[in-house]
Amino acid sequence: MVVDDRALSDDEVDRIFRALADATRRDILRRTLSGEASVSQLAAAYDMSFAAVQKHVAVLEGAGLVTKHPQGRERVVRGNPETIERAKSLLDRYEQIWRARIDRLDALLADTTERQ
């Protein structure tokens, strides 16, 4: 049995999907995956306070979906594709389970049809 050292813990999965449950956070993530942006630049794109955008970024950072680093007086936000890939791997495993069930159902239906 192969153990994936990159597998997400239940807490990590919860944080990631809670972060992604909000449209503003998904948009911030999209923006920061295509290029890093300061929190100020991000805040200018939304009709909300700077503090509200900072809170959204903090949730994304807590989920590991973005990282922040200082650049002069600003904090620059960058999307973290590694965490997205890890979440995708989890969803891929669920998809494999689902597809296996569909394949079994198809085989059962084919067998029933052949007997008729």
PDB file of all heavy atoms in Angstrom, residues 27-48:
ATOM      1  N   ASP A  27     -12.368  34.487  -5.665  1.00  0.00           N
ATOM      2  CA  ASP A  27     -11.883  35.492  -6.597  1.00  0.00           C
ATOM      3  C   ASP A  27     -10.481  35.978  -6.198  1.00  0.00           C
ATOM      4  O   ASP A  27      -9.621  36.162  -7.055  1.00  0.00           O
ATOM      5  CB  ASP A  27     -12.857  36.671  -6.686  1.00  0.00           C
ATOM      6  CG  ASP A  27     -12.506  37.597  -7.820  1.00  0.00           C
ATOM      7  OD1 ASP A  27     -12.499  37.139  -8.993  1.00  0.00           O
ATOM      8  OD2 ASP A  27     -12.217  38.778  -7.552  1.00  0.00           O
ATOM      9  N   ILE A  28     -10.261  36.192  -4.927  1.00  0.00           N
ATOM     10  CA  ILE A  28      -8.923  36.581  -4.454  1.00  0.00           C
ATOM     11  C   ILE A  28      -7.917  35.500  -4.820  1.00  0.00           C
ATOM     12  O   ILE A  28      -6.819  35.793  -5.304  1.00  0.00           O
ATOM     13  CB  ILE A  28      -8.931  36.853  -2.931  1.00  0.00           C
ATOM     14  CG1 ILE A  28      -9.715  38.131  -2.626  1.00  0.00           C
ATOM     15  CG2 ILE A  28      -7.503  36.947  -2.389  1.00  0.00           C
ATOM     16  CD1 ILE A  28      -9.976  38.363  -1.151  1.00  0.00           C
ATOM     17  N   LEU A  29      -8.293  34.253  -4.631  1.00  0.00           N
ATOM     18  CA  LEU A  29      -7.402  33.147  -4.976  1.00  0.00           C
ATOM     19  C   LEU A  29      -7.109  33.150  -6.469  1.00  0.00           C
ATOM     20  O   LEU A  29      -5.951  33.026  -6.888  1.00  0.00           O
ATOM     21  CB  LEU A  29      -8.014  31.813  -4.550  1.00  0.00           C
ATOM     22  CG  LEU A  29      -7.197  30.571  -4.863  1.00  0.00           C
ATOM     23  CD1 LEU A  29      -5.827  30.618  -4.185  1.00  0.00           C
ATOM     24  CD2 LEU A  29      -7.950  29.326  -4.444  1.00  0.00           C
ATOM     25  N   ARG A  30      -8.136  33.323  -7.279  1.00  0.00           N
ATOM     26  CA  ARG A  30      -7.946  33.366  -8.734  1.00  0.00           C
ATOM     27  C   ARG A  30      -6.972  34.484  -9.114  1.00  0.00           C
ATOM     28  O   ARG A  30      -6.051  34.278  -9.896  1.00  0.00           O
ATOM     29  CB  ARG A  30      -9.294  33.587  -9.432  1.00  0.00           C
ATOM     30  CG  ARG A  30      -9.192  33.634 -10.957  1.00  0.00           C
ATOM     31  CD  ARG A  30     -10.493  34.101 -11.595  1.00  0.00           C
ATOM     32  NE  ARG A  30     -10.952  35.393 -11.113  1.00  0.00           N
ATOM     33  CZ  ARG A  30     -10.457  36.579 -11.500  1.00  0.00           C
ATOM     34  NH1 ARG A  30      -9.464  36.628 -12.366  1.00  0.00           N
ATOM     35  NH2 ARG A  30     -10.969  37.703 -11.026  1.00  0.00           N
ATOM     36  N   ARG A  31      -7.171  35.655  -8.539  1.00  0.00           N
ATOM     37  CA  ARG A  31      -6.299  36.796  -8.843  1.00  0.00           C
ATOM     38  C   ARG A  31      -4.849  36.522  -8.438  1.00  0.00           C
ATOM     39  O   ARG A  31      -3.926  36.881  -9.165  1.00  0.00           O
ATOM     40  CB  ARG A  31      -6.787  38.057  -8.124  1.00  0.00           C
ATOM     41  CG  ARG A  31      -8.071  38.623  -8.665  1.00  0.00           C
ATOM     42  CD  ARG A  31      -8.577  39.743  -7.748  1.00  0.00           C
ATOM     43  NE  ARG A  31      -9.877  40.211  -8.147  1.00  0.00           N
ATOM     44  CZ  ARG A  31     -10.088  41.213  -8.980  1.00  0.00           C
ATOM     45  NH1 ARG A  31      -9.074  41.868  -9.506  1.00  0.00           N
ATOM     46  NH2 ARG A  31     -11.318  41.570  -9.292  1.00  0.00           N
ATOM     47  N   THR A  32      -4.665  35.906  -7.290  1.00  0.00           N
ATOM     48  CA  THR A  32      -3.301  35.706  -6.782  1.00  0.00           C
ATOM     49  C   THR A  32      -2.618  34.490  -7.392  1.00  0.00           C
ATOM     50  O   THR A  32      -1.410  34.344  -7.255  1.00  0.00           O
ATOM     51  CB  THR A  32      -3.284  35.617  -5.246  1.00  0.00           C
ATOM     52  OG1 THR A  32      -4.116  34.537  -4.813  1.00  0.00           O
ATOM     53  CG2 THR A  32      -3.769  36.923  -4.629  1.00  0.00           C
ATOM     54  N   LEU A  33      -3.370  33.638  -8.048  1.00  0.00           N
ATOM     55  CA  LEU A  33      -2.747  32.538  -8.785  1.00  0.00           C
ATOM     56  C   LEU A  33      -2.212  33.024 -10.127  1.00  0.00           C
ATOM     57  O   LEU A  33      -1.230  32.496 -10.636  1.00  0.00           O
ATOM     58  CB  LEU A  33      -3.745  31.396  -9.008  1.00  0.00           C
ATOM     59  CG  LEU A  33      -4.016  30.528  -7.795  1.00  0.00           C
ATOM     60  CD1 LEU A  33      -5.205  29.624  -8.049  1.00  0.00           C
ATOM     61  CD2 LEU A  33      -2.790  29.726  -7.412  1.00  0.00           C
ATOM     62  N   SER A  34      -2.856  34.049 -10.691  1.00  0.00           N
ATOM     63  CA  SER A  34      -2.395  34.561 -11.987  1.00  0.00           C
ATOM     64  C   SER A  34      -1.286  35.592 -11.813  1.00  0.00           C
ATOM     65  O   SER A  34      -0.609  35.926 -12.777  1.00  0.00           O
ATOM     66  CB  SER A  34      -3.560  35.132 -12.793  1.00  0.00           C
ATOM     67  OG  SER A  34      -4.181  36.177 -12.093  1.00  0.00           O
ATOM     68  N   GLY A  35      -1.090  36.083 -10.622  1.00  0.00           N
ATOM     69  CA  GLY A  35      -0.013  37.029 -10.328  1.00  0.00           C
ATOM     70  C   GLY A  35      -0.153  37.530  -8.917  1.00  0.00           C
ATOM     71  O   GLY A  35      -1.263  37.707  -8.427  1.00  0.00           O
ATOM     72  N   GLU A  36       0.974  37.748  -8.260  1.00  0.00           N
ATOM     73  CA  GLU A  36       0.873  38.213  -6.879  1.00  0.00           C
ATOM     74  C   GLU A  36       0.329  39.635  -6.840  1.00  0.00           C
ATOM     75  O   GLU A  36       0.438  40.388  -7.813  1.00  0.00           O
ATOM     76  CB  GLU A  36       2.208  38.086  -6.158  1.00  0.00           C
ATOM     77  CG  GLU A  36       3.365  38.792  -6.767  1.00  0.00           C
ATOM     78  CD  GLU A  36       4.657  38.526  -6.007  1.00  0.00           C
ATOM     79  OE1 GLU A  36       4.820  37.467  -5.382  1.00  0.00           O
ATOM     80  OE2 GLU A  36       5.507  39.417  -6.036  1.00  0.00           O
ATOM     81  N   ALA A  37      -0.292  39.961  -5.709  1.00  0.00           N
ATOM     82  CA  ALA A  37      -0.896  41.285  -5.538  1.00  0.00           C
ATOM     83  C   ALA A  37      -0.784  41.674  -4.073  1.00  0.00           C
ATOM     84  O   ALA A  37      -0.842  40.817  -3.186  1.00  0.00           O
ATOM     85  CB  ALA A  37      -2.364  41.261  -5.961  1.00  0.00           C
ATOM     86  N   SER A  38      -0.644  42.955  -3.847  1.00  0.00           N
ATOM     87  CA  SER A  38      -0.624  43.427  -2.462  1.00  0.00           C
ATOM     88  C   SER A  38      -2.051  43.393  -1.915  1.00  0.00           C
ATOM     89  O   SER A  38      -3.026  43.398  -2.680  1.00  0.00           O
ATOM     90  CB  SER A  38      -0.065  44.844  -2.385  1.00  0.00           C
ATOM     91  OG  SER A  38      -0.980  45.763  -2.957  1.00  0.00           O
ATOM     92  N   VAL A  39      -2.156  43.393  -0.606  1.00  0.00           N
ATOM     93  CA  VAL A  39      -3.480  43.432   0.018  1.00  0.00           C
ATOM     94  C   VAL A  39      -4.189  44.717  -0.389  1.00  0.00           C
ATOM     95  O   VAL A  39      -5.398  44.715  -0.644  1.00  0.00           O
ATOM     96  CB  VAL A  39      -3.381  43.283   1.549  1.00  0.00           C
ATOM     97  CG1 VAL A  39      -4.750  43.399   2.206  1.00  0.00           C
ATOM     98  CG2 VAL A  39      -2.728  41.959   1.928  1.00  0.00           C
ATOM     99  N   SER A  40      -3.445  45.813  -0.509  1.00  0.00           N
ATOM    100  CA  SER A  40      -4.043  47.086  -0.950  1.00  0.00           C
ATOM    101  C   SER A  40      -4.612  46.971  -2.355  1.00  0.00           C
ATOM    102  O   SER A  40      -5.716  47.473  -2.633  1.00  0.00           O
ATOM    103  CB  SER A  40      -2.996  48.204  -0.926  1.00  0.00           C
ATOM    104  OG  SER A  40      -2.505  48.399   0.367  1.00  0.00           O
ATOM    105  N   GLN A  41      -3.879  46.342  -3.261  1.00  0.00           N
ATOM    106  CA  GLN A  41      -4.381  46.152  -4.629  1.00  0.00           C
ATOM    107  C   GLN A  41      -5.634  45.292  -4.630  1.00  0.00           C
ATOM    108  O   GLN A  41      -6.586  45.575  -5.360  1.00  0.00           O
ATOM    109  CB  GLN A  41      -3.305  45.507  -5.504  1.00  0.00           C
ATOM    110  CG  GLN A  41      -2.141  46.410  -5.827  1.00  0.00           C
ATOM    111  CD  GLN A  41      -0.988  45.657  -6.469  1.00  0.00           C
ATOM    112  OE1 GLN A  41      -0.720  44.496  -6.135  1.00  0.00           O
ATOM    113  NE2 GLN A  41      -0.295  46.320  -7.383  1.00  0.00           N
ATOM    114  N   LEU A  42      -5.617  44.250  -3.838  1.00  0.00           N
ATOM    115  CA  LEU A  42      -6.795  43.394  -3.751  1.00  0.00           C
ATOM    116  C   LEU A  42      -7.986  44.174  -3.203  1.00  0.00           C
ATOM    117  O   LEU A  42      -9.096  44.077  -3.727  1.00  0.00           O
ATOM    118  CB  LEU A  42      -6.504  42.166  -2.882  1.00  0.00           C
ATOM    119  CG  LEU A  42      -5.530  41.151  -3.450  1.00  0.00           C
ATOM    120  CD1 LEU A  42      -5.149  40.137  -2.386  1.00  0.00           C
ATOM    121  CD2 LEU A  42      -6.121  40.465  -4.672  1.00  0.00           C
ATOM    122  N   ALA A  43      -7.752  44.960  -2.156  1.00  0.00           N
ATOM    123  CA  ALA A  43      -8.843  45.708  -1.525  1.00  0.00           C
ATOM    124  C   ALA A  43      -9.472  46.693  -2.493  1.00  0.00           C
ATOM    125  O   ALA A  43     -10.690  46.921  -2.451  1.00  0.00           O
ATOM    126  CB  ALA A  43      -8.330  46.429  -0.283  1.00  0.00           C
ATOM    127  N   ALA A  44      -8.681  47.247  -3.392  1.00  0.00           N
ATOM    128  CA  ALA A  44      -9.207  48.212  -4.360  1.00  0.00           C
ATOM    129  C   ALA A  44     -10.184  47.565  -5.342  1.00  0.00           C
ATOM    130  O   ALA A  44     -11.017  48.250  -5.935  1.00  0.00           O
ATOM    131  CB  ALA A  44      -8.056  48.859  -5.132  1.00  0.00           C
ATOM    132  N   ALA A  45     -10.116  46.249  -5.475  1.00  0.00           N
ATOM    133  CA  ALA A  45     -10.970  45.550  -6.436  1.00  0.00           C
ATOM    134  C   ALA A  45     -12.349  45.193  -5.876  1.00  0.00           C
ATOM    135  O   ALA A  45     -13.200  44.716  -6.619  1.00  0.00           O
ATOM    136  CB  ALA A  45     -10.269  44.276  -6.911  1.00  0.00           C
ATOM    137  N   TYR A  46     -12.560  45.426  -4.595  1.00  0.00           N
ATOM    138  CA  TYR A  46     -13.819  44.998  -3.961  1.00  0.00           C
ATOM    139  C   TYR A  46     -14.513  46.166  -3.275  1.00  0.00           C
ATOM    140  O   TYR A  46     -13.869  47.085  -2.780  1.00  0.00           O
ATOM    141  CB  TYR A  46     -13.544  43.880  -2.944  1.00  0.00           C
ATOM    142  CG  TYR A  46     -12.882  42.686  -3.579  1.00  0.00           C
ATOM    143  CD1 TYR A  46     -11.515  42.489  -3.448  1.00  0.00           C
ATOM    144  CD2 TYR A  46     -13.612  41.789  -4.349  1.00  0.00           C
ATOM    145  CE1 TYR A  46     -10.895  41.402  -4.064  1.00  0.00           C
ATOM    146  CE2 TYR A  46     -13.005  40.721  -4.961  1.00  0.00           C
ATOM    147  CZ  TYR A  46     -11.638  40.531  -4.813  1.00  0.00           C
ATOM    148  OH  TYR A  46     -11.030  39.473  -5.434  1.00  0.00           O
ATOM    149  N   ASP A  47     -15.823  46.070  -3.223  1.00  0.00           N
ATOM    150  CA  ASP A  47     -16.626  47.083  -2.554  1.00  0.00           C
ATOM    151  C   ASP A  47     -16.798  46.698  -1.084  1.00  0.00           C
ATOM    152  O   ASP A  47     -17.885  46.368  -0.631  1.00  0.00           O
ATOM    153  CB  ASP A  47     -17.993  47.206  -3.254  1.00  0.00           C
ATOM    154  CG  ASP A  47     -18.805  48.372  -2.735  1.00  0.00           C
ATOM    155  OD1 ASP A  47     -18.201  49.335  -2.223  1.00  0.00           O
ATOM    156  OD2 ASP A  47     -20.047  48.310  -2.826  1.00  0.00           O
ATOM    157  N   MET A  48     -15.658  46.685  -0.393  1.00  0.00           N
ATOM    158  CA  MET A  48     -15.647  46.374   1.036  1.00  0.00           C
ATOM    159  C   MET A  48     -14.421  47.034   1.643  1.00  0.00           C
ATOM    160  O   MET A  48     -13.544  47.503   0.924  1.00  0.00           O
ATOM    161  CB  MET A  48     -15.654  44.857   1.291  1.00  0.00           C
ATOM    162  CG  MET A  48     -14.444  44.115   0.771  1.00  0.00           C
ATOM    163  SD  MET A  48     -14.495  42.332   1.074  1.00  0.00           S
ATOM    164  CE  MET A  48     -15.752  41.819  -0.056  1.00  0.00           C
TER     165      MET A  48
END
